[in-house]
Amino acid sequence: MFPIALSELVQLFRNRLVLVTSLIMPAAVSAVFVYQHEGFAALGSLGYIAAVVMFTVGAFGLYTTTVTTLASRRQNLFLKRLRSTAVGDTAILAGLLLPITVISLVQVAVIMTVFAVVTGEPDNVLLLAAAVLSMVIMMLGLGLATAGVTNSPEHAQVTTLPVSLGTIAVVSWVGISGTEELTLLKRLLPGGSATELVLNAWNGGASLADSLILLAPTLSWVVVALALASRIFRWEPRR
C-alpha cells in the first residue's frame, strides 16, 4: 500500500491541473473566507465559515481528486495492472487515495488553526475533529461511487459537479438558515448534519449527546456510497 501511495504522491505533484484543484483553489477560497470573516459571520456565524472552509477542501480537493485519480488510473490500465499483483483491492484503493486524504486533512487542520487564531478557539475541538473525519470519510465514499460512472479524467469535470456544488449549497443553506425549520430534510442531505455538527462544535450551545447524533446521517451516506461503489465501480475501461 505505501509504495503505491508514494508513487501516487509523486504523480499528484506532477499533475498541474490536479495540483490546482486539490491544493491551490481550496486554499485560496478558504483564505478569502478567513480574511473576510466578519462579513461572512454576519450572514451566519463563525461556525458557518468553518463549515464552508471544511467542505471546500472536502468537495473541491478530496472528492474531485479522488474521482479524477481513479478515472485516470483506470483509463491507463494502471488499476488493471495493480490487480494482477499480490496486493488486495482494499490496499490498492487505500494506497491511491492516501496521499490526497492526508493532504486534505492537513489543509483543513492548518486552515482551522489559522481561523482559530484570527477569531478565537472553537467551543469543542474534539467535536470539530469528529465532524472533519466524518466529512472526509463521506467524501471518499462518494468519490468511489462517482468514479464508477466516470470514464476519464476529463469526464470527471462533469460527473463531480452535482456532489461538489450540491454539498456546498447544502452547507450554505444550513449554515445561514440553521435547522430550526425543515430539520429532518437539512440533516439528511449530504453535508447537512456535518455542517450542523461544525456549528455546534464552533459556536457551542448544544449538548454533546445531541451533537453526536448528527454523525449518524453522515455515516449513513458513507454506507450508501460504498454500497453503490461495490456495484458500479470498475477496474477496467469499458470496451
Side-chain angles (χ1 to χ4, degrees):
M1 181 183 77
F2 290 108
I4 296 174
L6 181 59
S7 173
E8 191 59 37
L9 181 63
V10 173
Q11 294 298 320
L12 183 65
F13 281 95
R14 286 180 178 176
N15 190 320
R16 293 181 181 178
L17 178 61
V18 174
L19 192 61
V20 169
T21 57
S22 64
L23 289 176
I24 299 177
M25 190 187 76
V29 173
S30 300
V32 171
F33 273 91
V34 173
Y35 182 72
Q36 300 287 345
H37 66 272
E38 293 182 355
F40 288 110
L43 290 175
S45 63
L46 293 178
Y48 160 61
I49 298 175
V52 170
V53 166
M54 182 181 78
F55 270 97
T56 297
V57 175
F60 295 106
L62 177 60
Y63 168 73
T64 301
T65 304
T66 293
V67 178
T68 303
T69 296
L70 295 176
S72 175
R73 301 301 172 260
R74 181 196 298 122
Q75 187 181 52
N76 61 22
L77 301 180
F78 187 60
L79 286 180
K80 181 179 180 180
R81 291 195 296 271
L82 284 176
R83 279 197 106 191
S84 66
T85 65
V87 183
D89 292 352
T90 302
I92 291 173
L93 293 175
L96 290 172
L97 300 181
L98 182 60
I100 186 58
T101 301
V102 173
I103 288 173
S104 297
L105 285 171
V106 171
Q107 274 189 298
V108 172
V110 171
I111 294 169
M112 291 291 190
T113 300
V114 173
F115 186 47
V117 170
V118 173
T119 65
E121 295 183 0
D123 183 75
N124 193 321
V125 175
L126 293 180
L127 196 61
L128 180 64
V132 172
L133 290 177
S134 67
M135 181 276 298
V136 166
I137 296 171
M138 183 183 75
M139 299 313 292
L140 284 173
L142 293 173
L144 286 170
T146 307
V149 295
T150 305
N151 298 325
S152 66
E154 294 76 21
H155 191 208
Q157 298 177 27
V158 176
T159 59
T160 57
L161 284 178
V163 171
S164 57
L165 295 180
T167 52
I168 295 298
V170 171
V171 170
S172 295
W173 185 29
V174 174
I176 293 174
S177 66
T179 56
E180 288 77 16
E181 299 179 352
L182 301 174
T183 303
L184 183 61
L185 174 62
K186 290 178 178 179
R187 288 178 176 177
L188 291 180
L189 288 172
S193 59
T195 299
E196 187 178 357
L197 188 59
V198 174
L199 295 177
N200 293 347
W202 201 283
N203 301 332
S207 68
L208 181 60
D210 291 340
S211 295
L212 290 178
I213 292 175
L214 296 172
L215 289 171
T218 301
L219 297 180
S220 296
W221 275 106
V222 176
V223 174
V224 171
L226 292 180
L228 286 172
S230 67
R231 295 179 63 87
I232 64 178
F233 185 80
R234 295 174 289 107
W235 293 87
E236 299 180 27
R238 289 176 178 170
R239 299 186 182 277

